[in-house]
Amino acid sequence: MRFDSLYEKPVLFAIAAVVVISVGTLVTTFIPLFLPSTQPVSPLIKPYTAVETEGRDIYIREGCNNCHTQTVRPLRTEVARYGDYSKPEESAWDRPFLWGSRRTGPDLARVGGKYPDSWHYRHMPSPRSMFPASNMPPYPALAKAKLDTSLTAGKVKTLGYGYGEAEVVRQLAAFRQAVTATAYPSAQVRSQVTPAALQGEITELDALVAYLQKLGRDLKAAQTAVAGPVAAEAAESTNPYAGNRAAEEEGEKIFKENCRSCHGEKGAGGFGPKLATTTHKFGGSDAELFASVAGGRPGGMPTFLPQLGKDRVWKAVAYIRHLERENR
């Protein structure tokens, strides 16, 4: 058969082209979908709980994924802002995945644990009360809607999360008990946004907050376990950037990106305690300030060591010292 004869037979040429394209698509697209190497699973990444599953559905229903991505690209600027870049195994339980490509708002892949629950309870109903220039719409209705859990057991079964209806019932009861307890760290703020009739129930806002706190949490927990000895070692040291003006300026940038939303402009206080003072809640020595920033504190202060690294934590501490000097 002469191949140049194909050019003289358009129908045969079209059939041959379709066959070649089909084989190419099968080899490069469909076969890899079923290879284990393209579907990595990590024991560190846990399936969503029943409440987190419902929160994820609310996240999709409200269109949050239209403005927020959930993938940190392996670029230096993105890693510096959001934390470690996203890995394929992190999306093993996402059906569908919510990576997205448009960032009207910030990426949320690492938002879990970045803020306490109370921050979300205040932010979701009224973003501009915390950030006057925010273009995020308010969602006060979520706190006024009781969570519908009638389909939860069916959802987790369909999604293959590995637990049944009895476990769903247990998780929902445990979660309701936790968020409605007076000892819940965010009880005060939750009670301010939740109607009295629903304060003993799970609301849609509760579920959404639970889902947001799940994002990136498993990876952070693994990194914290590895970074623990580093934090302990560093906490015994003094700040290598003490009095270094360049480090203080960089620390100011770190503060604005990570701390200002809770501790206020120039550490004047707000949602978190005042930092422009010589009296700190958990101690004011270099080691104590480092431990607060790096490892977090009870009551909502998250862990920043995995995200910032030891060097940048010390620069943040240097900026806190600068704020102290300005306010003496």
Side-chain angles (χ1 to χ4, degrees):
M1 177 180 179
R2 291 177 55 219
F3 287 100
D4 56 357
S5 64
L6 284 175
Y7 297 105
E8 300 168 355
K9 300 174 181 177
V11 175
L12 184 60
F13 181 84
I15 294 174
V18 169
V19 170
V20 171
I21 293 172
S22 298
V23 171
T25 303
L26 181 67
V27 172
T28 61
T29 303
F30 287 101
I31 291 179
L33 286 177
F34 299 97
L35 296 176
S37 61
T38 62
Q39 303 176 55
V41 177
S42 170
L44 301 175
I45 309 300
K46 308 298 182 186
Y48 293 105
T49 66
V51 175
E52 291 164 357
T53 300
E54 292 294 347
R56 188 173 189 272
D57 281 357
I58 294 168
Y59 181 92
I60 296 172
R61 184 194 71 191
E62 298 297 332
C64 304
N65 52 305
N66 293 324
C67 293
H68 296 281
T69 57
Q70 288 187 22
T71 178
V72 181
R73 292 170 288 192
L75 302 174
R76 180 175 297 181
T77 52
E78 295 217 0
V79 172
R81 179 177 180 183
Y82 297 116
D84 200 7
Y85 63 86
S86 298
K87 314 293 190 304
E89 55 267 34
E90 292 183 64
S91 301
W93 300 106
D94 282 337
R95 296 159 187 162
F97 67 81
L98 298 174
W99 299 335
S101 59
R102 183 176 182 180
R103 284 183 183 163
T104 303
D107 186 274
L108 298 181
R110 301 283 177 261
V111 76
K114 182 175 183 179
Y115 307 109
D117 289 358
S118 50
W119 187 96
H120 293 288
Y121 281 116
R122 182 168 295 180
H123 181 250
M124 291 299 299
S126 181
R128 290 185 180 177
S129 67
M130 300 177 71
F131 305 99
S134 175
N135 60 355
M136 178 170 160
Y139 292 89
L142 297 179
K144 301 173 183 176
K146 181 181 176 181
L147 183 67
D148 181 2
T149 59
S150 60
L151 300 177
T152 306
K155 290 178 182 179
V156 299
K157 180 180 180 181
T158 301
L159 294 170
Y161 287 167
Y163 53 88
E165 184 172 356
E167 176 62 16
V168 169
V169 172
R170 189 199 67 77
Q171 289 183 10
L172 291 173
F175 183 84
R176 180 168 58 247
Q177 183 178 13
V179 296
T180 60
T182 54
Y184 178 44
S186 301
Q188 182 180 2
V189 180
R190 181 180 183 272
S191 66
Q192 293 171 354
V193 300
T194 307
L198 292 178
Q199 290 185 8
E201 303 289 345
I202 303 175
T203 68
E204 291 189 348
L205 182 57
D206 294 327
L208 182 58
V209 171
Y211 170 66
L212 292 173
Q213 295 290 31
K214 163 72 171 176
L215 299 178
R217 185 182 63 200
D218 295 337
L219 181 66
K220 288 181 180 178
Q223 292 175 331
T224 300
V226 173
V230 177
E233 178 185 354
E236 298 174 0
S237 307
T238 56
N239 192 347
Y241 296 106
N244 185 319
R245 183 55 190 154
E248 291 175 357
E249 291 176 352
E250 187 171 344
E252 182 177 8
K253 295 178 183 177
I254 295 169
F255 177 88
K256 288 180 177 178
E257 292 173 357
N258 300 279
C259 318
R260 181 171 58 181
S261 60
C262 287
H263 294 284
E265 193 71 35
K266 291 187 175 297
F271 201 73
K274 181 179 180 179
L275 297 181
T277 176
T278 56
T279 305
H280 296 280
K281 184 175 181 180
F282 294 99
S285 69
D286 280 356
E288 290 166 331
L289 288 175
F290 181 94
S292 295
V293 179
R297 294 292 189 183
M301 175 68 182
T303 300
F304 279 97
L305 184 62
Q307 177 181 346
L308 297 178
K310 178 179 174 181
D311 192 64
R312 299 183 79 212
V313 169
W314 277 126
K315 290 176 179 176
V317 172
Y319 178 64
I320 294 173
R321 294 293 189 214
H322 171 78
L323 293 175
E324 291 176 355
R325 292 196 301 272
E326 282 190 335
N327 289 274
R328 280 176 179 164

